[in-house]
Amino acid sequence: MRGFGRQVGRLALHLLVPALGAAAPLAVIPAITSTHGASGWAAVAVGLSVGIATAVVAELGWSIVGPQRVARATRPPGDLFATASASKLVATAVLLPVAAAVTLAVVDEHRPAAALVSLGVALGALSPTWYFIGLGRPLLVLVAETSPRVLASLVSAVAIAAGAPLEVYGAGMVLAAVVTFGVAPRLGGARLPGTDDFRAVPAVVRSQLVLVVGRGVATTYKSLPAALLGTVSPGSVAGFAAVDRPLRMGLQVVSAIPDRLQTWVGVPSAELAHRRSLVSLGLNAGLGLVVGVGFALSMPAVAVVLFTGTVPVSPDLALAGGVLITVICASRGAGLALVSAGRHAQTTTASVASAVVGVPGVLVLGAHHGALGAVSALVSAEAVGLVVQLVVLARSRRASCVPAVEPAAEPAPVGPSDPHARGEAAR
């Protein structure tokens, strides 16, 4: 009973941390819309979109494979953190100028503010959350990352409401990211990257290249729709972001469930991992359905308060957002199962399939049907990705259940040149 209480307490912390992180931007949105109107919100939304996309690529897939590597303790966690930090620092330094340039090219109004927001969000690639999750210490996420971000958002909201320029918000996020990166190693018993860690960056990137490509492809339809929509229907960006941003914030909160399940699913026993993966898939799908229904019912009324009446959300747009939440949560469960089964590279296959549907869908449907068309395109894209993941999982399971065929003759000794031995070593 005492052990169950500890598990409930840990889950509560896993829920509290992203809930506070998601609540922080909610304080800023009303300040932005009440002082700078829909145009100010649209500029910030594009900056958020580009910044998130940049962070997703620059973190090099560590949020996918990192927690389970830490949990399995195949190498000292502090060394793993240093290696990951070095690779993410290099990637972030390369991509920050790109993020700023893309934002400036898409936005027409409040351009400096939008660029600063994109930079502040892009620095989220350096987030230590994956490391603390692997350690099973969600409280450290609250102290090292969530608290600085919440404080920066609250200060920005007060300042903007009092008449400060919109650039304050982006500057605050940049400062919060720098603080987080500085305190995380000390709190988590890790170290900052050294010369050897930076020398290992090319090898790290090569080893996770499939994940990086997959994340890069996925970000075009997951994180860039606001920017894409801005190129074909600028007037629809504010309405689309009025659904997409709260939706993503809600997904950030419920991400506590798959985050908590990462270490639970990532066990050495293949059979136990498979059983737990099925449970995880069901839990995530059920969670998505509950949250999706709640979003669809409440968002029209919430938007009136959140966006101070400047950006309305229609019931059909809210319903499309609810469906999107359901599919994304189910897809998260499938993704966890793929990683646990050692098939994390196949997440790239799913991402490519989703992008093939999502990117042209946002551009075409967004141009003809505005915000509703863009959200509908994302639903289709996520559904395709989910189906691909489920098919890969089913085939993987059938392959693992096929009994080995006994050789007719005495097998040759397994040596370094034996491809079967190499495959086993790779696994």
Side-chain angles (χ1 to χ4, degrees):
M1 192 67 181
R2 189 174 300 172
F4 176 76
R6 283 198 299 268
Q7 291 296 325
V8 171
R10 287 182 178 178
L11 180 58
L13 276 176
H14 275 279
L15 287 168
L16 175 64
V17 170
L20 288 175
L26 295 181
V28 183
I29 292 174
I32 293 172
T33 55
S34 63
T35 57
H36 295 84
S39 64
W41 166 239
V44 169
V46 171
L48 289 169
S49 174
V50 175
I52 291 170
T54 305
V56 167
V57 176
E59 64 94 33
L60 301 176
W62 283 103
S63 64
I64 297 177
V65 299
Q68 293 192 32
R69 288 183 183 177
V70 173
R72 287 169 175 164
T74 54
R75 60 179 293 197
D79 291 345
L80 187 65
F81 178 86
T83 299
S85 296
S87 62
K88 294 197 292 182
L89 277 169
V90 172
T92 302
V94 171
L95 292 176
L96 281 182
V98 178
V102 170
T103 303
L104 292 173
V106 174
V107 174
D108 293 326
E109 301 181 62
H110 308 286
R111 298 177 75 200
L116 261 178
V117 168
S118 70
L119 294 179
V121 176
L123 286 171
L126 304 177
S127 167
T129 295
W130 65 273
Y131 177 68
F132 294 143
I133 288 172
L135 292 177
R137 302 180 68 183
L139 185 60
L140 294 182
V141 181
L142 178 64
V143 175
E145 183 168 21
T146 306
S147 296
R149 190 143 41 93
V150 169
L151 181 60
S153 297
L154 292 176
V155 171
S156 299
V158 173
I160 292 172
L166 200 53
E167 286 79 6
V168 168
Y169 182 38
M173 287 194 292
V174 170
L175 179 60
V178 172
V179 170
T180 295
F181 186 75
V183 303
R186 295 183 180 182
L187 292 176
R191 60 179 176 83
L192 290 172
T195 303
D196 290 340
D197 298 302
F198 284 105
R199 286 175 179 168
V201 168
V204 171
V205 173
R206 284 194 299 271
S207 68
Q208 298 184 186
L209 185 59
V210 174
L211 280 177
V212 175
V213 172
R215 301 280 278 174
V217 171
T219 195
T220 59
Y221 73 91
K222 286 179 178 289
S223 306
L224 281 178
L228 293 173
L229 188 60
T231 65
V232 296
S233 182
S236 303
V237 173
F240 170 80
V243 168
D244 186 64
R245 280 298 94 211
L247 182 153
R248 303 293 171 180
M249 293 172 191
L251 286 170
Q252 180 182 340
V253 174
V254 299
S255 68
I257 302 300
D259 284 349
R260 184 69 186 96
L261 291 172
Q262 286 213 46
T263 53
W264 185 69
V265 171
V267 293
S269 169
E271 188 59 36
L272 180 59
H274 172 70
R275 291 200 302 269
R276 289 185 174 184
S277 293
L278 293 179
V279 174
S280 169
L281 181 56
L283 287 174
N284 279 283
L287 176 68
L289 181 61
V290 172
V291 177
V293 170
F295 182 91
L297 294 176
S298 63
M299 195 58 215
V302 170
V304 175
V305 178
L306 186 59
F307 299 99
T308 61
T310 60
V311 188
V313 172
S314 62
D316 56 346
L317 188 55
L319 176 60
V323 175
L324 180 57
I325 288 174
T326 302
V327 180
I328 288 176
C329 286
S331 185
R332 284 175 170 177
L336 279 180
L338 283 175
V339 174
S340 179
R343 303 280 181 169
H344 58 268
Q346 298 302 320
T347 59
T348 297
T349 304
S351 296
V352 170
S354 295
V356 168
V357 174
V359 174
V362 168
L363 293 173
V364 174
L365 294 181
H368 290 86
H369 303 287
L372 181 59
V375 176
S376 300
L378 294 182
V379 172
S380 300
E382 291 288 352
V384 168
L386 173 60
V387 170
V388 170
Q389 290 183 92
L390 293 177
V391 169
V392 172
L393 282 172
R395 289 179 176 176
S396 174
R397 183 58 181 170
R398 283 200 299 269
S400 65
C401 291
V402 175
V405 179
E406 291 294 330
E410 184 70 16
V414 176
S417 62
D418 191 322
H420 177 73
R422 290 199 303 270
E424 288 298 316
R427 281 194 288 272

